Amino acid sequence: MKAHLHTLLAQALQQLRQDKLLPDDAPTDIPLEHTRDRARGDFASTLALALAKTARRKPRELAEQLVAALPASDRIARVEIAGPGFINFFLTSTAHQSVINEILDQGDAFGRSNRGEGRRVQVEFVSANPTGPLHVGHGRGAAFGATVANLLEAIGYQVHREYYVNDAGRQMNILATSIWLRYLEHCGERFRFPSNGYQGEYVRDIATRLYAERGGVYMVAAAPIFRNLPQDEIRNENGDIVIAGDKEAHIDALVERTQRLLGDHHYRYIFERGLNAILDDIRDDLREFGVVYDEWYSERTLAECGAVNKTINRLRDAGYVYEQDGALWFRSSAFGDEKDRVVERENGQTTYFASDIAYHLDKFERGFDWVIDIWGADHHGYVPRVKAALQALGENPDKLDVLLVQFAILYRNGERAQMSTRSGEFVTLRELRQEVGNDAARFFYVMRKSEQHLDFDLDLAKSQSRDNPIYYIQYAYARVSSVLRQLRDKGLVRDEARGRASLALLTEPHEEALLMALSRYPEVVETVARIHEPHQLAHYLRELATAFHAYYNEHRVLVPDDALRDARLNLSLATRQVIKNGLNLLGVSAPEVM
RNA sequence: GCCCCGGUAGCUCAGUUGGAUAGAGCGCACCCCUCCUAAGGGUGAGGUCACAGGUUCAAUUCCUGUUCGGGGCGCCA
């Protein structure tokens, strides 16, 4: 409908241009939007106001000429000029009602479009280090990323969902070492666990499984392991330092000792066992959350195939690498970054940043038209250097969009609840899903603008009332399903064709309001997908549900009049379809019964 | 110090990229089931859109500055 009006206005604009009523340099954009107030029609355009300046004409006069030049349309009841020069369009009832047929014809496809024209876009999200289970912060990235991907798919992009697995580097070595130490504890050895080791209960679980599978083959007496290591930092229960030390140096030395004592073969095995256990857990967790990937991309394979070194060489060849203090630096400041960045350390190891450049170069070389990264907001300072690197490598940094997601803070009984009561660690995504359910979690995570801090109210997410938007929306869906069951129980049969022939009977204000809401859906999807703001879809669905509940409360669907009943059933089913389509994009289920 | 995000009703937040009288939910005060799920609907009170300038026919929206809150500024990942 909006496109139709847009075409009409474009033709009118063209007409005025031909009649030399406008200068050649007049703007060609045509503003058109839904009105907030129905008294001002269905759509309003500020075209005349926008043209007034360059044309040096009175806006109202221009508006009159534009309206006079508008081609006739049977979908428009009348056009009014209001205020300083707004052009207000009032649609016919038939035009309002026709959206029902559109929805019923298109079904699950209603709201989808081909704006993206099959262009390939990669969405990389979550990508948490595989050193432990996902926590609630990752959950927001997962829900947001999955929804952004769904939305882009809905508007015609070919979407590739990817998880970057940081399976190389220091953190993974610390994990392998932690597992081995817990394994030794399981074997009966006693020692002080390193303060910078992975303390989580899941590490013990992996160690216990390792013992069950392999027995005592990795057993080594604890005492020599810790001999002559740099002093660890030791704190008491209150967090006060009891013995000062260098915990970083301690853990690094411990990792080295672990590798030496175990030997390469055994070390690799424990490393792989830990990595796989955690990755399997993350994969299961996300799949249960409705988040599925096309690819799990390994950082290690990048290094192993020499891509990291090759990338550094390419940067060097381009003249953006220099040596200083024994390290190799990338001159990112040449591309707007605030300072240069190390790509290879004094000890010869490449940095995480170097891997990331290679990874992003690889993304571009895989031929994506558009690359989207979804990161935690704490990584925002990282954006300029990645873009700088891409530019230095001759790629177009504008093809990369980085979307930042702020933290989610859990609240229970009005108080912060970041820590799990059971383990004393960060609440995991799995615990959250078990507590509030997948639907509420998916919905609450995307309810707020991503760059806004999210206060996640656990009590609200669990409550079954109007306060809880997810129940409120799902309830609207279930109500329509319930009406259909009632219809059957009364021995009545729905006649869709009769309903379609009787749409003119839908003249109640509540029905018109509902029709208006339904007709907005395709535009909402398109806008929300384009600007990556799923929260607006969540808000739209609540508004749609509000319109339906108000209607349902005021008028009966199952009336004796066959024609009216079938028309209302079609309207109700169209509403149900749109709710389902919208919830589907958000990864939320639409239950038949509640 | 520099960078990013935010400041809108008592609370939590929207505001369709600059439009007409700034919205919703909760909370508060009332009202509505002989009737398809009251897990619902309705009425009312509640605002200097942080502050000060600027651009514009038009600013909550864009620009500059100030202020308050959150986060980030490693040869960590």
Side-chain angles (χ1 to χ4, degrees):
Chain A
M1 193 62 227
K2 190 174 179 179
H4 177 63
L5 292 176
H6 201 273
T7 309
L8 297 181
L9 277 168
Q11 286 175 23
L13 185 61
Q14 186 59 31
Q15 186 65 48
L16 261 63
R17 224 179 268 280
Q18 273 172 20
D19 297 347
K20 300 292 176 201
L21 294 168
L22 287 171
D24 293 336
D25 60 343
T28 51
D29 283 352
I30 297 176
L32 184 65
E33 57 186 19
H34 281 278
T35 54
R36 286 182 189 157
D37 184 352
R38 295 228 41 216
R40 301 192 189 116
D42 298 299
F43 288 90
S45 176
T46 54
L47 181 57
L49 294 166
L51 291 172
K53 181 147 198 195
T54 44
R56 293 186 190 175
R57 303 264 312 281
K58 287 180 183 165
R60 271 199 84 100
E61 209 174 279
L62 272 173
E64 275 163 33
Q65 288 172 344
L66 280 167
V67 170
L70 275 176
S73 166
D74 57 4
R75 293 188 241 177
I76 298 174
R78 66 178 198 282
V79 182
E80 282 179 4
I81 297 164
F86 293 98
I87 302 174
N88 293 340
F89 294 90
F90 293 76
L91 304 185
T92 62
S93 303
T94 313
H96 282 148
Q97 290 146 0
S98 65
V99 71
I100 296 178
N101 294 340
E102 249 179 85
I103 294 166
L104 296 179
D105 289 339
Q106 296 177 30
D108 292 347
F110 182 72
R112 303 184 84 88
S113 70
N114 191 34
R115 182 193 167 90
E117 297 171 322
R119 283 192 291 274
R120 295 178 63 213
V121 54
Q122 186 210 43
V123 182
E124 183 222 319
F125 59 112
V126 184
S127 300
N129 281 349
T131 51
L134 299 177
H135 57 72
V136 292
H138 300 125
R140 189 175 188 193
F144 178 72
T147 306
V148 165
N150 288 346
L151 284 165
L152 289 170
E153 215 160 55
I155 63 166
Y157 284 90
Q158 191 187 323
V159 179
H160 185 86
R161 297 164 173 83
E162 187 157 308
Y163 189 117
Y164 182 52
V165 182
N166 300 129
D167 51 7
R170 180 168 175 258
Q171 296 305 322
M172 288 308 299
N173 285 323
I174 294 174
L175 177 73
T177 300
S178 301
I179 292 169
W180 185 53
L181 292 175
R182 291 301 190 201
Y183 167 93
L184 295 180
E185 282 183 343
H186 186 78
C187 295
E189 291 297 306
R190 290 294 167 261
F191 49 86
R192 184 182 290 279
F193 195 79
S195 58
N196 250 15
Y198 283 98
Q199 312 276 345
E201 207 46 44
Y202 62 93
V203 178
R204 280 184 214 273
D205 294 343
I206 295 169
T208 305
R209 267 180 279 155
L210 180 68
Y211 184 81
E213 292 159 9
R214 308 283 293 178
V217 294
Y218 307 114
M219 179 59 198
V220 167
I225 303 173
F226 291 91
R227 197 168 294 149
N228 296 325
L229 289 182
Q231 176 61 49
D232 197 7
E233 178 184 287
I234 299 170
R235 293 167 183 266
N236 63 16
E237 284 105 37
N238 301 327
D240 307 321
I241 295 176
V242 180
I243 300 175
D246 187 340
K247 53 187 181 178
E248 304 289 348
H250 179 76
I251 194 75
D252 284 337
L254 196 48
V255 166
E256 216 184 305
R257 180 92 30 112
T258 299
Q259 290 169 333
R260 208 182 66 221
L261 289 172
L262 272 173
D264 196 49
H265 181 69
H266 280 166
Y267 181 79
R268 290 315 313 169
Y269 186 87
I270 293 176
F271 185 101
E272 294 297 323
R273 189 67 189 85
L275 173 64
N276 290 332
I278 287 170
L279 265 186
D280 285 348
D281 175 70
I282 289 175
R283 238 188 294 259
D284 288 349
D285 200 8
L286 289 173
R287 197 186 51 239
E288 286 167 23
F289 198 37
V291 178
V292 179
Y293 287 90
D294 298 298
E295 187 165 352
W296 295 70
Y297 193 101
S298 159
E299 178 188 0
R300 204 166 30 164
T301 58
L302 264 181
E304 282 169 0
C305 73
V308 179
N309 287 323
K310 222 182 314 180
T311 304
I312 293 175
N313 287 336
R314 271 186 63 175
L315 282 173
R316 195 202 317 263
D317 293 345
Y320 296 111
V321 172
Y322 63 92
E323 197 178 328
Q324 187 182 309
D325 302 331
L328 287 183
W329 296 71
F330 165 51
R331 201 182 299 281
S332 56
S333 60
F335 301 95
D337 195 12
E338 53 192 26
K339 54 175 279 201
D340 296 340
R341 310 290 173 177
V342 172
V343 285
E344 190 179 307
R345 275 170 273 188
E346 199 179 355
N347 64 13
Q349 285 185 319
T350 53
T351 58
Y352 174 83
F353 176 48
S355 295
D356 225 11
I357 300 171
Y359 176 46
H360 279 85
L361 181 62
D362 178 74
K363 289 185 183 200
F364 277 52
E365 286 177 344
R366 275 188 273 166
F368 292 110
D369 300 302
W370 188 14
V371 172
I372 296 176
D373 287 356
I374 293 168
W375 296 349
D378 51 340
H379 285 64
H380 91 268
Y382 207 72
V383 179
R385 72 187 79 164
V386 172
K387 292 208 171 208
L390 287 168
Q391 206 175 335
L393 291 165
E395 299 287 347
N396 176 8
D398 294 339
K399 276 165 65 180
L400 169 68
D401 272 332
V402 181
L403 309 182
L404 301 173
V405 179
Q406 290 282 356
F407 297 119
I409 300 164
L410 301 182
Y411 282 85
R412 183 182 279 112
N413 303 323
E415 287 177 15
R416 287 177 76 129
Q418 283 304 77
M419 296 295 162
S420 165
T421 43
R422 276 203 302 283
S423 61
E425 295 157 27
F426 282 111
V427 177
T428 63
L429 173 60
R430 185 170 270 116
E431 285 172 315
L432 176 77
R433 294 194 295 107
Q434 282 163 356
E435 179 165 351
V436 306
N438 284 322
D439 284 347
R442 284 290 297 256
F443 190 87
F444 273 62
Y445 268 136
V446 299
M447 205 163 57
R448 300 280 175 249
K449 210 187 306 183
S450 62
E451 60 256 39
Q452 179 95 282
H453 290 272
L454 173 69
D455 290 338
F456 195 120
D457 186 335
L458 293 166
D459 306 302
L460 180 60
K462 283 184 286 188
S463 84
Q464 306 195 354
S465 71
R466 138 140 243 185
D467 324 358
N468 183 350
I470 185 59
Y471 272 89
Y472 185 74
I473 295 165
Q474 288 180 320
Y475 181 42
Y477 182 93
R479 268 187 153 172
V480 178
S481 302
S482 169
V483 169
L484 290 180
R485 287 191 294 274
Q486 291 285 332
L487 179 78
R488 210 173 43 234
D489 292 350
K490 291 185 177 185
L492 294 168
V493 176
R494 167 176 173 249
D495 184 334
E496 184 180 328
R498 182 165 58 198
R500 285 180 185 243
S502 315
L503 293 183
L505 300 174
L506 300 176
T507 54
E508 297 289 347
H510 281 101
E511 289 167 337
E512 284 183 16
L514 190 49
L515 288 167
M516 290 298 294
L518 290 172
S519 70
R520 276 175 51 212
Y521 178 70
E523 290 161 42
V524 169
V525 171
E526 175 147 348
T527 304
V528 161
R530 202 182 60 239
I531 63 178
H532 319 302
E533 293 193 352
H535 72 280
Q536 291 199 43
L537 177 58
H539 283 273
Y540 164 81
L541 289 174
R542 199 178 46 71
E543 281 167 31
L544 178 61
T546 301
F548 180 74
H549 286 308
Y551 172 49
Y552 182 93
N553 204 61
E554 192 68 22
H555 301 285
R556 293 186 62 78
V557 175
L558 301 180
V559 290
D561 179 342
D562 293 337
L564 181 60
R565 184 179 65 240
D566 283 325
R568 287 183 171 175
L569 278 167
N570 280 6
L571 173 59
S572 301
L573 282 162
T575 305
R576 187 173 81 151
Q577 180 74 57
V578 171
I579 291 175
K580 179 185 164 198
N581 292 2
L583 288 178
N584 191 35
L585 289 174
L586 297 179
V588 175
S589 70
E592 301 295 322
V593 186
M594 288 179 73

